[in-house]
Each structure stands twice: as C-alpha cells, then as structure tokens.
Amino acid sequence: MIQKPRGTIDILPTESPLWQWVEQTIKDTAALYGYSEIRLPTFESSELYKRGVGETSDVVQKEMYSFEDNEGRSITLRPEGTAGVVRSVIENSLVSGPMPLPLYYLISCFRYEKPEAGRSREFYQFGVEQFGAENPAADANVISLGWDIFKNLGLDVSLEINSIGCRHCRPKYHKALHDYFEKSKDDLCETCLDRLNKNPLRILDCKSPVCSEIAKNAPKTVDYLCPECEKHLEKLKKYLDTAGIKYNINPKIVRGLDYYQRTVFEFISEDIGSKSTICGGGRYDGLVEELGGPRLPGIGFAMGLTRVMLALNKKENLPDLSNKPHLYIASMGEGARLKSFEMSLALKKFGLNVTFDQVGRSLKAQMKYADKTGAKYSLVLGDSELEKGSAVLKNMENGDTTEVDINNFEKIEEIIK
Ligand code: HAM
C-alpha cells in the first residue's frame, strides 16, 4: 500500500474543524491590526532562497527541496514565507504604495528535516510581514499581534527577545565570534568550519551537540550593539511595557535565517516538548534591497500551526466545533427519497444542515446512520406521509415527537432552531 511521505501529515475530517477555528481566530485577530492576505506560489526560483534566506543557513545548506524543472531551471519548494513575500512586493511594485504595508499568509512550507513531534517536512505556517516602518513602535505592534493571537487561542506562551545588531555593529561582533570559535576550530562540525569565515553567527544555532556546547559561552550580541541599535531595543522595551506584554531578554536568540537585523524574538510554549518555539520572527531591514528592491525596512514573524495544534490538544475545554446535521430525513421508496432530496434543499435555505438517504439503505440502517452522525432531529418519509403531506419530526436527544406539514419549512425550522 502506498503511504504518505515521511514527515508529512494527513489532516482528517475529525481534526479539520479545530484547524479551521485556529485559522479563523488568527485571521480575525490579524484583521484588527489592519493586515491583508497575500497568496503566493508554492515554489520559487532556488536563487531567491539562496539570496534571501542566506547561503550559510541550515535551511539553504541542508533542508531545501530543490529540483530542476524540464527546462533545467533550479526550483525550490518554499521552505518559509518571507523571501517570497519580499519578491512579490518588489515584483508587483507594492514597494511604492502606501506604507506601512501589513501582509499575512497561511501556507505550507517544506524542509528536509529529521521528523519528530512538532517537526515535519511539510508544515503549516501563519506568517506576517510588515514593510515601511523602521520605528520600534512597528516591532512592538507586530509582536503585540502575535501576543494577541496566542491569547485569543487560549495558549500560554512566553516571549523571548534579543537584538542581533545592524550592518554597522555586526562586523565587530562577527570578529569577536570568529576569534572565539577559532580556538575550538578542531572540534566544530564541517558545516560550522565553513561558517567560521563566512558567517560565524550561524554556528550559534547549529544543531550538532558538540557545536552547541562550544557555543554556550560565545560572546553575546547585546554586548556589541552600536548606540542606535541599543536605543532601538530600549524603545521597544518601553512599547512592550506600555502594551503590558511580558518578555525576557534572551541573548541566545539569534534565529536561523540570515536576513535578520536588530530585533529578533520567539514565542515559546511549554506544551510542545523539545521543539518549544511556536513562533519566531524579527526585523529584516536589508532584505528588500538585497533582493533588488529599494531600501525598505521590514519586520514579521511566522508561527508553526502544527505546533499550535500540539499545544491546543494538551488543553481541556476546547470549543465544540462539530458540524452535526440538524436533521436527517429517512425515506422508504423512490418517491419518498425524491421528496427528501427536495426538502433537504429547501431547508438549507434556512441555514439548516440537512442530510437524506443517498445510498438506498433499509430504514433500520438509515436510523443507525442518523444516530452515528449525531443528527439532532430525524424525520421518516414513506408513501403514507407523502399522501397525508405530513410526517413525524423526532428530537433524537430526548425522543420528543411533533407532527409537521412536510411543505411548511418555516414551521420545521422554527422547531429545529
Ligand atoms: P522559522 O523560525 O524558520 O522562521 O519558522 C517559524 C516557525 O515555523 C517556527 O517557530 C516553528 O513553529 C515553525 N516551524 C519551522 N520549521 C518547522 C518544521 N520543520 N516543522 C514544524 N514547524 C516548523 C521563519 O520561517 C521566518 N520566515 C519567520 C519570519 C517571518 N521572520 C520574519 N518574518
């Protein structure tokens, strides 16, 4: 039997109502912050991620699903959303529209990682990107959206923040990191050895146990910030305090993608095991320019919906999201089935979920099916009901019955609703 590829999930009909609720809650919250949706291709030119996400990131070096298309172009299934949004914003000239420009997306992403709880090869992200505002107020507003989403989903998370400096203070910090890691050169993994000269910052988020152990005492970004970056971080803290958002400054957060500058942050959940980062983001003021656009600041985040679901499934008292039929119409004979079809269509116009027998089962089997679907009411149609023009409507929960006119839909709706 053919099985799904390793690291992918099936979202079954019993699970999808919770996914839909999560997505709707997120969209409603994003709308309050003025965000609009952007929908983009699932695959892009590989060059976009190499230049956007960065040649020295784990994502580009080890995790991309890349292939050549029939005309020899290198194509990559999107490993994340930010680079594609920046590409589109430049390509469609949104960069010259009104600013700030707040955008969101709900997408699946692909990374060739070792699957485990909370880490898959195809995973789902809700992400936001906001362009055109360099002020720390923008950082706080984006973080506040993430904070509100978790609040509205009823999830407890903590917020960790750091600043990784800008292109002015980065060289001094890189030198300090280089000098530090140079001393343990012989113990670093091969990838990190390569990163030592190209981008020593990336060694800080290497997943190899030896490299992470060495990285524990590495110099911290916050000790190397230029006065402007320091001021940015201080102002951001003030905005977050005003919003009543609690945070920890965590100098260890450097994020795994190369485009970040200044503010970086992660939301952590205790409910999802070792893969505890449920959402990550930061500022990427140089990315639009890097990808061929004008100088335009940007900031955003993405939350892993698979991790959101893991956290939600640990909770009790989830909302009842089942879509049980309001009414099941059982029928005996072809004439009655035709009438039950007609009635089901008419009653849908009143907003009722009505099902009828499409299989041709016995009456007993039909009632068993109605019970299994959790239908609230049932009604049986046979030749005599068609002749009389009335039938018995039964409340499946308490057994109460009412004789109803089978053409008086208003009356049926009144009883059912
Ligand atoms: P990221 O940290 O690579 O950032 O991913 C964001 C979130 O996606 C993670 O916090 C995690 O919840 C989820 N995630 C990542 N990889 C996996 C996986 N293999 N399986 C399940 N969930 C996963 C980004 O993608 C940036 N584009 C975020 C961003 C937007 N920064 C600025 N704007």
Side-chain angles (χ1 to χ4, degrees):
M1 207 201 84
I2 299 171
Q3 295 187 327
K4 63 183 177 328
R6 187 164 138 77
T8 62
I9 55 166
D10 293 331
I11 299 169
L12 300 175
T14 44
E15 299 160 327
S16 56
L18 192 59
W19 281 81
Q20 287 173 345
W21 176 77
V22 165
E23 288 166 5
Q24 198 54 51
T25 305
I26 289 175
K27 284 189 205 171
D28 291 346
T29 315
L32 296 178
Y33 281 76
Y35 279 73
S36 312
E37 187 180 19
I38 185 161
R39 295 192 190 197
L40 297 174
T42 310
F43 57 86
E44 298 266 4
S45 138
S46 303
E47 188 58 25
L48 175 70
Y49 300 113
K50 285 187 192 155
R51 268 170 56 194
V53 175
E55 298 258 22
T56 54
S57 64
D58 262 9
V59 169
V60 170
Q61 286 191 318
K62 303 178 185 168
E63 296 168 1
M64 295 212 299
Y65 277 90
S66 299
F67 57 94
E68 272 195 5
D69 71 6
N70 292 351
E71 284 166 61
R73 285 175 290 233
S74 179
I75 296 292
T76 296
L77 298 184
R78 68 177 160 221
E80 59 101 53
T82 311
V85 173
V86 173
R87 196 261 317 132
S88 174
V89 160
I90 300 169
E91 191 172 336
N92 295 292
S93 305
L94 303 184
V95 286
S96 27
M99 292 290 158
L101 172 66
L103 303 169
Y104 81 80
Y105 47 87
L106 270 163
I107 56 173
S108 60
C109 300
F110 307 85
R111 294 186 194 173
Y112 197 82
E113 294 196 80
K114 199 168 152 225
E116 57 181 295
R119 188 156 78 193
S120 44
R121 291 182 173 169
E122 182 184 19
F123 59 97
Y124 299 87
Q125 274 192 350
F126 166 75
V128 305
E129 313 297 348
Q130 184 184 264
F131 298 92
E134 202 168 353
N135 196 283
D139 307 33
N141 201 43
V142 163
I143 292 172
S144 175
L145 167 57
W147 182 265
D148 277 357
I149 288 174
F150 288 117
K151 198 173 63 191
N152 292 343
L153 292 173
L155 290 178
D156 293 327
V157 291
S158 57
L159 171 63
E160 314 261 295
I161 289 179
N162 191 21
S163 172
I164 55 169
C166 65
R167 58 197 163 126
H168 301 300
C169 43
R170 192 71 65 76
K172 213 167 88 194
Y173 179 55
H174 273 196
K175 165 130 190 10
L177 278 180
H178 180 274
D179 294 350
Y180 173 83
F181 284 117
E182 174 84 17
K183 289 185 217 131
S184 317
K185 208 165 131 181
D186 297 341
D187 300 319
L188 293 177
C189 76
E190 225 171 278
T191 320
C192 286
L193 206 54
D194 183 50
R195 289 165 168 166
L196 186 59
N197 290 318
K198 287 188 185 153
N199 186 3
L201 189 71
R202 282 285 71 85
I203 305 177
L204 296 175
D205 50 63
C206 177
K207 286 170 192 138
S208 124
V210 178
C211 298
S212 353
E213 189 55 39
I214 300 171
K216 270 189 184 154
N217 297 315
K220 297 182 172 69
T221 50
V222 278
D223 297 328
Y224 292 82
L225 297 182
C226 64
E228 279 306 303
C229 286
E230 252 173 23
K231 226 190 289 165
H232 192 96
L233 183 60
E234 282 316 306
K235 279 193 189 161
L236 168 61
K237 288 190 205 165
K238 217 185 238 174
Y239 274 98
L240 293 177
D241 292 339
T242 302
I245 294 174
K246 294 194 185 66
Y247 57 87
N248 301 314
I249 298 292
N250 181 349
K252 294 230 160 91
I253 304 245
V254 291
R255 310 282 299 129
L257 314 164
D258 285 351
Y259 45 63
Y260 294 112
Q261 286 189 15
R262 291 195 168 157
T263 310
V264 287
F265 58 90
E266 291 185 352
F267 286 93
I268 309 290
S269 163
E270 302 281 313
D271 295 324
I272 52 176
S274 64
K275 296 288 142 289
S276 56
T277 307
I278 198 162
C279 175
R283 181 166 275 288
Y284 46 85
D285 291 349
L287 185 58
V288 178
E289 217 175 357
E290 173 65 35
L291 293 176
R295 233 191 101 58
L296 189 68
I299 179 162
F301 66 70
M303 61 180 65
L305 296 185
T306 331
R307 295 185 189 179
V308 167
M309 298 310 290
L310 269 179
L312 274 176
N313 282 319
K314 289 264 164 68
K315 278 170 55 89
E316 282 156 19
N317 306 325
L318 288 176
D320 178 14
L321 301 164
S322 54
N323 178 27
K324 293 179 184 157
H326 292 103
L327 171 65
Y328 178 81
I329 309 176
S331 56
M332 287 174 296
E334 192 50 37
R337 187 176 309 118
L338 192 62
K339 179 68 187 171
S340 68
F341 175 49
E342 185 199 319
M343 281 179 76
S344 78
L345 296 182
L347 286 164
K348 282 188 216 308
K349 295 194 182 117
F350 291 86
L352 296 178
N353 169 355
V354 183
T355 53
F356 67 102
D357 176 50
Q358 304 166 60
V359 182
R361 292 186 178 110
S362 70
L363 185 60
K364 195 171 158 207
Q366 288 184 51
M367 295 316 290
K368 216 166 148 189
Y369 173 77
D371 217 33
K372 263 194 206 157
T373 61
K376 289 171 198 143
Y377 283 83
S378 68
L379 183 140
V380 180
L381 285 184
D383 288 343
S384 68
E385 281 79 12
L386 291 187
E387 230 166 79
K388 280 191 297 182
S390 67
V392 174
L393 185 66
K394 182 175 173 188
N395 181 324
M396 300 283 277
E397 276 153 25
N398 60 20
D400 285 355
T401 53
T402 324
E403 180 95 14
V404 290
D405 177 340
I406 55 177
N407 293 307
N408 189 345
F409 305 122
E410 284 90 349
K411 182 74 194 163
I412 297 176
E413 189 234 352
E414 199 181 290
I415 298 171
I416 289 179
K417 269 209 172 155

